Amino acid sequence: MTRDWPRGIHNRFVCRPRHRTALCLVAALLMSPPGWSEETGSETPGEDTSPAEPTANDCGAFPFLDWTSEVDQEGRTAQRSQRCRGSYRDPLAGVDTSKDPSTQEIEATAERSELEGDMVRFFGGVEARQGYRVIRAAEAEYNRVTGTGSLLGEVEIREPGLLLRGATGSLDSNSGEARLTANQFVLHDQHLRGGADLVVRRGDGIIELDDGYYSYCPPLNNGWVLQAKDIELDIEEGVGVARDAKIELGGTPVVYTPYLRFPLDDRRKSGFLFPEITDDSNGGLDLATPYYFNLAPNYDATLTPRYIMDRGLLTELELRHLSAQAGYWELGGAWISGDDQYQDDVPGEDGDRWLSAIEQTGEFKERWRTNIDFTKTSDDEYFNDIGTTSLQLKQSTHLLQAGQVDYLGDSWQTTLRFEEFQTIARDVERDQYSKLPQLNLRRTATSQDFTPNLLLQSDYAYFDHNDEPTGHRLYNEVGGNFPMRWIWGFLTPTAKYRQLNYDLDEDVFFDGAPDDTPDVGAPMFSLDGGLFFERSTAWGLQTLEPRVYYLWSDFEEQEGLPSFDTTELTFTYNQLFRETRFSGNDRIDDSNQVSVGLTTRFIDQDSGREKLAASIGQIYYFDDRLVSVGAIGPEDTEGSSAIAAEFAISPTEQWEFRSAWLWNTDENEIDQSTFQAGWRGDGGAIVNLGYSYRRNRTTANDGLDIDQLDFSTYYPFSKEWRIFLRSLYDLEENERVNDMAGIEYNSCCWRVRLVYQRYIDQNTNRAAQDLVEYENATYIEFQLKGLGGIGTRVSELLEEFIRGYEDSDL
């Protein structure tokens, strides 16, 4: 017997999970997990079982595969949307997914249905909704005995973040499995699409593609496509697996692999990362193939074999660990056995070279903090010859090896630190001292206005060195201040007594006689005051901030005292208001001076943006400065310092100018000057121009003035193409110090960069022209978006050399 409804009449069914009408079974079979039954689907009394409706945009509101050419303007996806000239829009985005669809009512509609024996058929606009899941087809049929069903004509299955479309579909109530032929799918959040001759959506939610493809590119664009005999997509775990796979670029196969594991989102997954390719003058072709181990949510590892053509096989290993008890740890190392080129350059060496690095930061019970920063190499030329790929390290003339523990009390801070250095620069005459250990105690209580504030600090250190005098140093200072602050200004008098005590391993000639326990102390007084004036102008709120700082410190003989960690600070505008002209604690400077400074600012009253800031000031000396780092003598007898000035202006959001000067009033000439201009344009465009000059006033014959011009830019000249340029030019020596040029193609689907760098060896002694050495390197970075990329060194290079540049994976 056949029962027909008249054509043209839209039939609507609302059925709860326990109902067993044929259409409800068809819908429930696709939308419910295996094991759904009449008993497990019963309603909970009093519970709202109305279906979760989609958003205002119904399931068919967007074009083919939910792709729209409308470009997002805000949020993280805006950059990707603009580059792709569109984006996937999920009609079910924002739908409540907190309730299990199997517990929700099923709402089903069709234009016409037929019942013939055990077979139920439905025709015309078949649609079923259960919670946030939706199924559509032109026709459907279900066999009540075998528990199998089929869907015909424009089959569509949806849930938030997923779209499955096919020509036909079949389902099996026993296994909970659904199959679609001539299928296409979209993962909206991941910006991914694909298709297959046959797609299987297993009961556990995993999608299987038979003779399928997968791509990040928008519809009708096959910039890159992953094709495979079999593809599995585990959306819940965020990982895909392809077997017998090949990668095509523009329809041309470029890579074949029997097995490929790839991420579907930003979650970390174990597997091979794409290789890094470099070619430089230090080792020739350099190929690195990193493998990432996602061992646990809080620790992982990266193993990177590197083949360097002229050197041999090198292996890098990086381990990372994060825990509430031990903090963050990063352990790295590299090893190469029998470096062929190093053996040729340095006769007698076996060529075994290595690098080790440890980084740690931790905070415990809001009182204890720990920090480790340790880097050591087998030889001074390691960074220059080999460098690193997976290890996040920066080259320096002194490699730090330090460990530190801090305890933060309510009003005290205690620091215990161990510190050593490995000097790897050729032109550094003396290694730095080691501190084994250093213990610092200082009072950190917040000062209160119009209340006396106690100032205490004590610093002990033992300084060790292979060739220089060693010993113990104890520095103490005690005093107080009385801060007074008003809305219109401030005034702070400060008085201290500073004391130095040494216990040396050998005598020094101090105060006219040999002494291994010299000591010195002196009082200090300062008075710091300033006023604040402001007025409204057409260009914003203007402030005028005059400041006067008086400093007096008594002179004490210090000739012959060691200099473990003390140097003279570089003079800038901020130095006008410091209580010492030295870094470190080996000198108690003598002072009788007054500093006068003036600052003005223009501030946008709507946004609070500082549009202009300008400062100028000078120190006037009442006595000669007799204390120096090296020796005592009347070398510093000028009556005033250089005039220090700083200037910064940002007339618009795009433009910024900064400059600083030191004007020597005795010689009537500039001692130092810097200038920086920066422009930020649309699409992330950056243009920087900098100039720096510093006159060398040392007595060393090999001292050179610094006179350099620095230009850098990151400029997109189309939506896909952009260039990188950086040039550091030495005007004093008429030579280029560091040049970089590169080009990038960055489409919606993939990105490729080619960068060339020519530079002077950082370890070169610039004063000895015969030692100047030029190196060059070529870097290639290639990324298939949504699948992976090669190269991190190019990104690090650009961020270091182009001020304001930030890399993006979009």
Side-chain angles (χ1 to χ4, degrees), residues 715-733:
Y715 193 82
F717 54 88
S718 72
K719 288 186 178 297
E720 287 82 21
W721 291 95
R722 52 207 23 88
I723 58 172
F724 313 99
L725 293 174
R726 195 267 179 136
S727 181
L728 179 63
Y729 188 81
D730 193 319
L731 299 172
E732 183 73 17
E733 298 299 321

Side-chain angles (χ1 to χ4, degrees), residues 103-120:
T103 65
Q104 304 299 300
E105 294 179 350
I106 299 174
E107 181 178 308
T109 60
E111 293 181 0
R112 183 170 61 90
S113 68
E114 296 178 353
L115 178 61
E116 184 175 0
D118 296 325
M119 187 69 67
V120 185

Side-chain angles (χ1 to χ4, degrees), residues 298-606:
N298 65 323
Y299 58 90
D300 58 17
T302 303
L303 179 66
T304 306
R306 286 176 61 188
Y307 175 73
I308 307 174
M309 180 178 293
D310 297 336
R311 299 186 180 276
L313 182 63
L314 177 142
T315 303
E316 293 181 1
L317 176 65
E318 181 186 59
L319 306 171
R320 300 189 302 174
H321 182 273
L322 177 64
S323 71
Q325 295 76 26
Y328 172 76
W329 286 81
E330 188 172 310
L331 309 178
W335 170 265
I336 181 171
S337 178
D339 184 336
D340 298 333
Q341 184 167 319
Y342 188 67
Q343 289 175 313
D344 295 338
D345 295 340
V346 186
E349 292 289 338
D350 59 9
D352 292 345
R353 310 177 72 183
W354 52 267
L355 168 72
S356 61
I358 303 174
E359 180 181 340
Q360 188 271 343
T361 56
E363 182 174 339
F364 316 102
K365 297 183 178 180
E366 300 181 353
R367 294 286 188 178
W368 293 92
R369 293 187 307 195
T370 59
N371 177 261
I372 298 175
D373 188 352
F374 180 97
T375 305
K376 192 174 181 64
T377 68
S378 57
D379 56 86
D380 296 346
E381 299 296 328
Y382 185 93
F383 276 98
N384 189 53
D385 291 347
I386 298 175
T388 67
T389 55
S390 60
L391 306 180
Q392 304 298 311
L393 301 173
K394 289 187 178 181
Q395 182 177 351
S396 174
T397 57
H398 300 279
L399 301 182
L400 179 63
Q401 298 145 21
Q404 181 172 314
V405 178
D406 297 309
Y407 177 77
L408 308 178
D410 293 334
S411 58
W412 294 89
Q413 177 175 330
T414 303
T415 299
L416 176 64
R417 182 176 178 84
F418 294 82
E419 179 182 278
E420 285 189 321
F421 293 91
Q422 179 184 1
T423 302
I424 61 173
R426 302 186 192 126
D427 57 349
V428 176
E429 297 180 356
R430 192 189 78 173
D431 292 338
Q432 293 187 344
Y433 273 93
S434 301
K435 299 177 182 179
L436 304 171
Q438 180 183 22
L439 181 63
N440 182 275
L441 177 66
R442 64 186 181 94
R443 190 170 186 270
T444 59
T446 304
S447 60
Q448 301 293 326
D449 289 344
F450 305 101
T451 302
N453 182 50
L454 178 64
L455 303 174
L456 291 173
Q457 181 177 351
S458 182
D459 185 276
Y460 161 79
Y462 176 74
F463 293 90
D464 193 22
H465 199 282
N466 292 329
D467 304 315
E468 301 292 335
T470 61
H472 306 261
R473 186 192 68 196
L474 179 63
Y475 172 82
N476 292 290
E477 66 177 43
V478 58
N481 62 12
F482 190 80
M484 296 171 282
R485 301 181 183 92
W486 302 270
I487 192 172
W488 45 264
F490 68 93
L491 183 66
T492 305
T494 301
K496 290 182 181 180
Y497 187 85
R498 299 179 290 182
Q499 177 72 30
L500 264 174
N501 295 84
Y502 290 92
D503 185 1
L504 306 175
D505 296 333
E506 59 184 69
D507 289 343
V508 296
F509 196 80
F510 177 71
D511 199 17
D515 193 353
D516 63 352
T517 58
D519 62 85
V520 64
M524 185 217 79
F525 173 78
S526 67
L527 184 64
D528 191 10
L531 298 173
F532 302 108
F533 302 95
E534 62 181 44
R535 64 170 183 169
S536 296
T537 69
W539 213 50
L541 179 68
Q542 182 189 9
T543 70
L544 194 65
E545 306 167 27
R547 184 176 179 182
V548 178
Y549 180 75
Y550 175 74
L551 175 65
W552 174 86
S553 180
D554 196 14
F555 167 73
E556 291 291 338
E557 289 285 353
Q558 298 170 55
E559 185 175 8
L561 292 182
S563 176
F564 292 134
D565 64 350
T566 300
T567 59
E568 191 162 356
L569 293 167
T570 302
F571 187 72
T572 63
Y573 179 81
N574 290 331
Q575 185 64 22
L576 300 177
F577 309 105
R578 289 177 60 97
E579 63 182 30
T580 179
R581 58 183 180 271
F582 301 113
S583 66
N585 293 323
D586 288 306
R587 294 294 181 267
I588 299 175
D589 48 344
D590 56 324
S591 305
N592 188 13
Q593 63 191 52
V594 62
S595 302
V596 179
L598 180 64
T599 298
T600 185
R601 310 175 199 271
F602 283 86
I603 302 171
D604 189 303
Q605 297 187 23
D606 295 329

